[in-house]
Amino acid sequence: MDLIKQYVNKRKGSYFLSVILAIIGVVAGLFSYVYMAKIIVNILEGISDISIYKSLCLMILLLFVIKEIAAGISTSISHTATFNSLGEIRNDISKKLFKMPLGDVLSRSSGELKNIIIEQVDSMETSLAHLVPEFTANLVGPVLLFIYMFTLDWRLTLLSLIPFVVGMATMMSVMNAHYKEMFGKSVAIGQHMNNSIVEYINGIEVIKTFNQSESSYKKYADAVYNNASFYYNWMGESMNRVAIGRLLSPMGIITIIPFGILFYINGSIDLGNLITLIVLSFATVSSILKIMNYMDDMSRISTITSEIGKILDSRELENEEKGISEKDYSIKLENIEFSYEEDKKVIDDISFDINPNSVSALVGPSGSGKSTLAKLIAGFWNVDKGNIKIGGVDTRHMSLEKLSSLISFVSQDNFLFDMSIKENIRIGKKDASDEEIIEVCKKSACHDFIMNLSDGYDTKVGEGGGHLSGGERQRISIARAMLKDAPIIILDEATSYIDPENEALIQNALANLVAGKTLLIIAHRLKTVTDADKIFVINNGKLDAEGSHEELLKSSSLYKEMYESSLRGEENA
């Protein structure tokens, strides 16, 4: 609930006005029953003056008009404020994901994140748009009407509440700790179902290739069935008490009529007040019952906000802008240690220097920690121990935006968004002109294939760039990095998806990208980095050796073995 208060307080003026208008609407609707009761009493007393009935009917009509206008404006204001709040929550989650360590983001499945950002944030709409004004109004309105009823006869007013209290107690017995526990389970089961659906869709190609449709579909179907079965059983055990409570709550008439008749017979209440109290008992209870429609939201909101809060309260990268300018674009690692999991070091006490405007390479066996080092330098994670400095400035003393502006990261699986080629490239520089985009595309050897597409630069690439080949996606990624024009370039297996006939094009594109930059390459094919100024050999998270290609052939048995193995692999290819 604290999370809701945080966003409500930002727009408390709008919500306050919405609550006031909602109260006016509810009170107007409730007090129309007072005039209805007067019409009934006048009829029973035999009054035949039509003008009296006209004025009473006009008053009822006026109150209904006030009710509808006030409720309509209140709803409009609360929804506007709510959708702005939901948009802000989603923006805050997106910003938080940017500030979180990459590993913490990737540890959550895409189905889980989608469920939180879309479904769970959407489910807060009822609570914010309706709960705040309508719950308050439907509580204040009946209280005012009960005060009026007390002035007519306090005995019957209290008696009319007995069925309501019993009914409410029966319904509220459902909203206990068990309900909260079950709702928490429902969220987990729903997320599991979302994960299964996303996995089934994303893996459809593998499923078809290996003829695993039956087993894969069964996993997906079981998740959907378990979700439905859970809700069926949960609602089944809860609905009996809710149904009994809803039946009893509006039955104030079973106490007010017999005692009312008794009081009327002994002369302690007149007929007019008795009829008015009977009519108003229906009005007050029906209004309070509307509150029950929001009790379910109140019970589950803590679970929903807890899931959202887990993201918003997650640890962030320890980057704080100190306003210190880097003297150059050198990179220095000092006694770096890093673990994805506690007590399981991936990087163990590594130190080395990368000179500005130089070409350096990280090589080593698969799983040695090369890509992890590159991502640490790029600021995707904070190191556990040690320091990474760019131009003499600790990267943790730079804002994430500043650090991002210094580095272009081109990996083997750069992601393309489901929008036009032009807009995907413009991510590198949001204010780039079409001419600038075309120019970098020519330098990255992708202008010609783009012009052969149906819509040229306006061609949509599909989800993840699925409408393009691996080589085409890679060249667009290089164009995007080239447009960014960062002084430091990190290439993480950037040519791994390239077929031989396109490799020359990609290598020329990369040469244009890295000209005059500080370049760090992570590669398995050692032939591509033999001309590097310095090569760092990483093995089991440690720095095994460093030097030029020729130096390492003499000093590092691991490097020599890897290089010779790489040559044999290319000869056999």
Side-chain angles (χ1 to χ4, degrees):
M1 294 300 286
D2 288 340
L3 182 68
I4 288 185
K5 290 177 183 177
Q6 173 186 336
Y7 288 95
V8 167
N9 286 337
K10 291 181 180 180
R11 295 170 179 82
K12 56 186 176 184
S14 296
Y15 283 112
F16 178 76
L17 180 58
S18 176
V19 168
I20 294 300
L21 288 169
I23 291 174
I24 292 172
V26 169
V27 170
L30 289 176
F31 275 85
S32 65
Y33 284 91
V34 175
Y35 293 96
M36 292 180 191
K38 288 183 177 181
I39 290 176
I40 296 172
V41 171
N42 288 340
I43 292 173
L44 292 175
E45 292 180 350
I47 297 175
S48 58
D49 187 349
I50 195 66
S51 62
I52 294 176
Y53 293 105
K54 284 182 179 180
S55 62
L56 291 172
C57 288
L58 285 173
M59 197 63 196
I60 292 172
L61 179 61
L62 177 62
L63 288 171
F64 271 110
V65 169
I66 293 172
K67 172 191 173 184
E68 294 303 322
I69 292 175
I73 298 174
S74 171
T75 301
S76 177
I77 293 172
S78 66
H79 274 84
T80 300
T82 294
F83 287 126
N84 287 331
S85 295
L86 298 185
E88 188 176 352
I89 290 172
R90 286 196 173 103
N91 282 333
D92 287 348
I93 292 175
S94 299
K95 291 175 183 176
K96 185 70 177 189
L97 292 175
F98 177 74
K99 295 177 181 178
M100 288 169 60
L102 182 61
D104 290 358
V105 178
L106 296 180
S107 66
R108 295 172 175 266
S109 68
S110 56
E112 178 188 355
L113 288 173
K114 177 252 183 188
N115 176 259
I116 292 172
I117 296 172
I118 298 178
E119 280 88 351
Q120 293 199 33
V121 173
D122 270 346
S123 69
M124 294 174 69
E125 184 269 336
T126 299
S127 299
L128 290 174
H130 299 280
L131 181 63
V132 175
E134 294 177 23
F135 183 90
T136 306
N138 281 294
L139 192 60
V140 172
V143 168
L144 294 176
L145 202 57
F146 270 122
I147 292 173
Y148 175 74
M149 291 171 64
F150 262 72
T151 64
L152 300 180
D153 192 288
W154 64 269
R155 300 166 302 172
L156 285 182
T157 301
L158 291 177
L159 286 167
S160 70
L161 291 175
I162 292 175
F164 173 75
V165 171
V166 174
M168 288 290 287
T170 304
M171 283 189 283
M172 290 300 293
S173 66
V174 174
M175 309 298 179
N176 51 22
H178 177 65
Y179 184 92
K180 186 175 181 179
E181 176 190 347
M182 293 296 285
F183 188 80
K185 289 181 179 179
S186 75
V187 171
I189 289 175
Q191 288 177 347
H192 176 67
M193 181 180 70
N194 277 328
N195 293 342
S196 299
I197 293 171
V198 171
E199 180 184 61
Y200 182 75
I201 294 171
N202 288 342
I204 195 69
E205 182 178 349
V206 175
I207 292 169
K208 287 179 175 290
T209 300
F210 293 96
N211 194 27
Q212 294 296 312
S213 57
E214 183 176 346
S215 60
S216 297
Y217 180 78
K218 183 178 185 303
K219 180 181 178 181
Y220 154 72
D222 286 347
V224 175
Y225 175 81
N226 289 339
N227 184 73
S229 177
F230 175 85
Y231 274 100
Y232 179 82
N233 293 328
W234 179 26
M235 293 299 105
E237 72 180 34
S238 302
M239 283 302 102
N240 287 338
R241 281 177 286 175
V242 172
I244 293 170
R246 285 190 173 275
L247 178 66
L248 285 174
S249 295
M251 298 297 287
I253 195 170
I254 64 176
T255 52
I256 201 171
I257 286 183
F259 283 100
I261 293 172
L262 180 63
F263 294 157
Y264 176 73
I265 291 173
N266 63 28
S268 60
I269 189 174
D270 61 49
L271 182 61
N273 286 348
L274 175 59
I275 298 298
T276 301
L277 287 169
I278 292 173
V279 172
L280 294 185
S281 68
F282 286 105
T284 52
V285 172
S286 63
S287 184
I288 293 176
L289 280 176
K290 292 179 182 178
I291 296 175
M292 291 303 301
N293 296 329
Y294 303 110
M295 295 306 293
D296 185 58
D297 292 315
M298 293 179 68
S299 296
R300 67 180 181 174
I301 197 65
S302 61
T303 303
I304 295 171
T305 54
S306 173
E307 291 296 314
I308 297 171
K310 284 179 184 177
I311 294 180
L312 295 179
D313 295 333
S314 296
R315 62 174 180 164
E316 297 183 0
L317 293 165
E318 299 168 6
N319 289 70
E320 182 181 0
E321 180 60 57
K322 297 286 188 178
I324 307 171
S325 298
E326 62 281 355
K327 63 179 183 291
D328 54 33
Y329 300 114
S330 62
I331 302 171
K332 184 179 185 66
L333 278 67
E334 299 176 333
N335 307 112
I336 297 301
E337 292 186 7
F338 176 75
S339 304
Y340 293 111
E341 300 175 11
E342 193 173 350
D343 300 327
K344 190 176 182 181
K345 289 182 182 178
V346 178
I347 304 299
D348 188 6
D349 195 25
I350 287 182
S351 299
F352 59 75
D353 294 335
I354 297 174
N355 295 324
N357 306 318
S358 67
V359 178
S360 302
L362 294 176
V363 301
S366 178
S368 60
K370 306 183 300 296
S371 293
T372 298
L373 270 176
K375 290 172 181 175
L376 287 170
I377 293 170
F380 293 166
W381 288 279
N382 283 136
V383 296
D384 297 334
K385 291 183 180 179
N387 303 289
I388 297 176
K389 296 180 178 179
I390 295 178
V393 181
D394 193 318
T395 55
R396 285 174 294 195
H397 296 162
M398 301 176 180
S399 67
L400 290 174
E401 291 76 12
K402 173 65 180 295
L403 181 58
S404 176
S405 71
L406 294 177
I407 299 174
S408 281
F409 195 101
V410 182
S411 73
Q412 58 184 322
D413 53 0
N414 272 286
F415 188 82
L416 298 183
F417 294 91
D418 187 14
M419 52 190 185
S420 71
I421 290 175
K422 183 193 302 179
E423 293 307 313
N424 266 290
I425 295 173
R426 188 172 274 126
I427 289 172
K429 181 182 176 184
K430 63 182 180 181
D431 59 348
S433 65
D434 289 354
E435 290 73 20
E436 288 179 275
I437 291 173
I438 293 172
E439 182 63 26
V440 297
C441 285
K442 288 179 179 177
K443 290 181 180 179
S444 59
C446 56
H447 174 72
D448 291 340
F449 90 76
I450 291 173
M451 294 308 296
N452 287 328
L453 296 173
S454 58
D455 296 315
Y457 281 86
D458 293 318
T459 302
K460 284 201 168 186
V461 302
E463 184 178 353
H467 296 168
L468 304 176
S469 69
E472 290 169 342
R473 289 196 299 270
Q474 199 66 34
R475 280 181 273 173
I476 289 174
S477 298
I478 292 170
R480 182 165 61 190
M482 192 179 294
L483 185 65
K484 183 178 180 181
D485 196 28
I488 298 172
I489 308 292
I490 298 177
L491 303 179
D492 186 0
E493 302 288 355
T495 60
S496 60
Y497 289 157
I498 308 305
D499 51 85
E501 65 185 49
N502 283 320
E503 185 167 4
L505 291 173
I506 298 299
Q507 294 296 351
N508 288 335
L510 290 173
N512 288 325
L513 169 64
V514 304
K517 314 285 188 181
T518 299
L519 173 62
L520 177 62
I521 303 171
I522 297 93
H524 282 299
R525 294 190 295 172
L526 301 191
K527 183 180 177 181
T528 62
V529 296
T530 54
D531 293 330
D533 298 313
K534 189 173 284 188
I535 300 171
F536 302 97
V537 182
I538 310 299
N539 188 26
N540 293 324
K542 296 179 178 290
L543 179 62
D544 187 82
E546 63 177 280
S548 67
H549 170 67
E550 297 298 332
E551 291 171 341
L552 289 173
L553 286 176
K554 297 175 183 177
S555 64
S556 173
S557 58
L558 174 60
Y559 181 81
K560 183 178 180 180
E561 180 185 341
M562 291 175 60
Y563 181 68
E564 291 174 349
S565 177
S566 177
L567 290 179
R568 287 195 299 270
E570 291 192 10
E571 288 174 0
N572 296 330

